[in-house]
């Protein structure tokens, strides 16, 4: 759960994400504590969390576990099967809320990938930290570099036949130089984001381009436009620089061919990214313009996303037709090699169309999530908790929790100050007949500062806190320091899912 940002739109987001996340991330009220009388423990009254709508079919984990308090005169029953969802939530780690700006052909700027599904820093090779932002090269880059080396090497054989096998060494240099241009494009987005105070998690060079993981959305349409435009602008400037370099060398030499190739490739990158549809930079610019006119970021996202889907269909159908007819400078009459070329063109078009279509859809989804972010409030998602001392048997703690309608157990010291939280998964691992002999302290996770959450946190601020200190449960406190309850990342994730399942108005 920038979103899982961010949408994000914990869209576009992100979430770290996503949404930080996320995405989110990015992913609406979950099972929250019910109302009831104050819990008087050690002369301290703990105010229970307020009532809120329960998520359908969400069981009370504590009640399901509390089988050991059956009166002793009843005949013993076999231990029941405890049906609990122990899937570890990712909402507290990386919400789908980060804004990803992908650059290549195309420069995708989508925020739909959940942060936990993107490869982490360990999934690539760290190349450096320009401006303090780590740059990683994904293993998929080597596949594309090999493809570029093969294709460009064959072209060199026709232009400079005297090179022989050395042409593949020259084409490998071209592949590296091209991705260096992509890195410059990404650094333009990164510098602009840092200038606007938007944190950038990392840059990653990968299959078909690069990704700048910007964790938050721009606050104004003007900043959004600038943030999107600087990437294509740098690509155009690079193309101009390579053109000037061509004037200084013989075009029939290796430097002349390399400079020409880099000029054309940067022009194509800039032109493609300026197409007005999400997730391309041009789509971000269109979104910013509509946002500025209507005052509604969601209206801009919807319009730019549907234009992006239209572009995806156009690329899927039009790119093979254009290359086959030779409009881009290829020899359309050389039909001898049409079989392989047609397959390669169709495959390239399908990959690009899939990237654009998926990015546009993710942009819509994460934009909708960002609209629902204010509904994610720690106060309404918190489970009521019952405080017990270290030596309290688990069976007794469950009995007290059941009596008060609580769904969590907090271990406190002799003064009533919280020490740790009894983990839900640990409760499920203790057989029923062992619960009277197991102290709650042996099942508890010690509280750290990051595991203490204010009941006033909500929306992106809440997701940022959960992402900064990953855990499965958090102690929720009132502004005065009183225990309010326990927040489970599972409940946050369910709230994401419920928010995303709502029909778009």
């Amino acid at each position: 759960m920038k979103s899982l940002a961010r949408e994000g739109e914990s869209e576009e987001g992100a979430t770290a994400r996503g949404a930080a996340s996320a995405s989110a991330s990015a992913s609406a009220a979950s099972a929250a504590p019910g109302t009831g009388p104050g819990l008087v423990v050690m002369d301290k009254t703990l105010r229970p969390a307020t009532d809120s709508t329960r998520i359908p079919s969400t069981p009370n984990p504590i009640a399901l576990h509390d089988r050991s308090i059956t009166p002793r005169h009843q005949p013993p029953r076999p231990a029941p099967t405890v049906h609990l969802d122990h899937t570890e939530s990712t909402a507290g780690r990386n919400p789908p809320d980060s804004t990803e700006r992908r650059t290549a052909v195309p420069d995708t700027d989508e925020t739909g990938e959940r942060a936990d599904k993107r490869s982490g820093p360990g999934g690539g090779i760290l190349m450096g930290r320009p401006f303090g932002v780590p740059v990683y090269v994904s293993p998929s880059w080597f596949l594309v570099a090999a493809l570029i080396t093969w294709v460009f090497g064959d072209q060199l054989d026709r232009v400079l036949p005297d090179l022989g096998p050395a042409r593949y060494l020259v084409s490998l240099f071209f592949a590296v130089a091209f991705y260096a241009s992509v890195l410059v494009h990404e650094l333009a987005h990164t510098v602009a984001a840092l200038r606007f105070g938007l944190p950038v998690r990392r840059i990653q060079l990968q299959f078909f381009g690069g990704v700048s993981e910007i964790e938050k959305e721009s606050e104004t349409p003007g900043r959004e436009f600038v943030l999107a435009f600087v990437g294509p602008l740098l690509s155009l400037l690079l193309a101009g620089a390579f053109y000037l370099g061509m004037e200084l060398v013989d075009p029939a030499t290796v430097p002349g061919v390399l400079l020409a190739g880099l000029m054309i490739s940067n022009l194509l990158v800039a032109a493609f990214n300026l197409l007005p549809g999400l997730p391309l930079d041009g789509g971000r610019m269109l979104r910013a313009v509509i946002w500025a006119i209507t005052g509604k970021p969601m209206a801009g996202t919807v319009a730019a996303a549907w234009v992006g889907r239209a572009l995806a269909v156009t690329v899927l159908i039009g790119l093979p037709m254009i290359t086959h007819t030779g409009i881009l400078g290829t020899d359309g009459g050389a039909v001898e090699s049409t079989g392989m070329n047609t397959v390669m063109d169709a495959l390239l078009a399908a990959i690009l169309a899939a990237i654009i279509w998926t990015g546009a859809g993710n942009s819509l989804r994460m934009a909708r999530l960002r609209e629902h972010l204010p509904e994610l409030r720690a106060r309404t998602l918190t489970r009521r908790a019952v405080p017990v001392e270290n030596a309290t048997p688990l069976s007794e703690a469950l009995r007290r929790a059941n009596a008060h309608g609580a769904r969590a157990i907090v271990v406190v010291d002799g003064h009533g100050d919280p020490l740790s939280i009894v983990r839900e998964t640990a409760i499920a691992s203790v057989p029923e007949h062992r619960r009277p002999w197991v102290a709650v302290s042996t099942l508890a996770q010690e509280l750290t500062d990051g595991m203490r959450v204010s009941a006033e946190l909500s929306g992106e601020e809440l997701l940022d806190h959960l992402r900064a200190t990953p855990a499965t449960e958090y102690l929720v406190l009132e502004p005065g320091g009183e225990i309010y309850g326990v927040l489970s990342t599972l409940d946050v994730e369910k709230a994401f899912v419920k928010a995303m399942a709502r029909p778009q108005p």
Side-chain angles (χ1 to χ4, degrees), residues 248-387:
L248 305 177
V249 298
D250 185 352
T253 61
V254 169
V257 173
L258 286 175
L259 288 171
L262 290 172
M263 180 199 69
I264 294 173
S265 61
N266 277 276
L267 279 176
L268 289 176
V269 168
F272 202 95
N273 291 321
L274 286 173
L275 293 175
L278 286 173
L280 306 176
D281 283 333
R284 307 289 305 186
M285 296 161 62
L286 175 62
R287 174 182 183 266
V289 170
I290 298 177
W291 177 5
I293 295 174
T294 64
K296 299 177 181 179
M298 187 63 181
T301 300
V302 171
W306 279 104
V307 173
R309 287 176 169 175
L311 283 175
V313 176
T314 302
V315 167
L316 181 62
I317 300 174
L319 184 59
M321 294 177 61
I322 291 175
T323 55
H324 182 71
T325 55
I327 295 178
L328 296 180
T330 57
D331 186 4
V335 198
E336 300 81 21
S337 58
T338 311
M340 178 59 71
N341 289 341
T342 301
V343 172
M344 293 297 295
D345 293 341
L347 179 61
L348 176 63
I351 293 175
L352 293 180
I355 292 174
I356 298 173
W357 183 278
T358 302
N362 286 337
S363 298
L364 281 174
R365 182 171 62 87
M366 300 313 295
R368 187 166 70 248
L369 179 57
R370 274 199 176 93
E371 284 197 327
H372 291 299
L373 271 182
E375 301 175 13
L376 299 178
R377 298 184 293 272
R379 187 174 295 277
T380 57
L381 293 172
T382 297
R383 300 176 176 183
R384 178 185 294 164
V386 58

Side-chain angles (χ1 to χ4, degrees), residues 460-477:
E460 194 166 349
E461 187 179 9
L462 172 62
L463 297 181
D464 287 343
H465 184 97
L466 301 187
R467 180 177 56 196
T469 54
T472 55
E473 289 100 4
Y474 298 84
L475 180 68
V476 181
L477 301 173

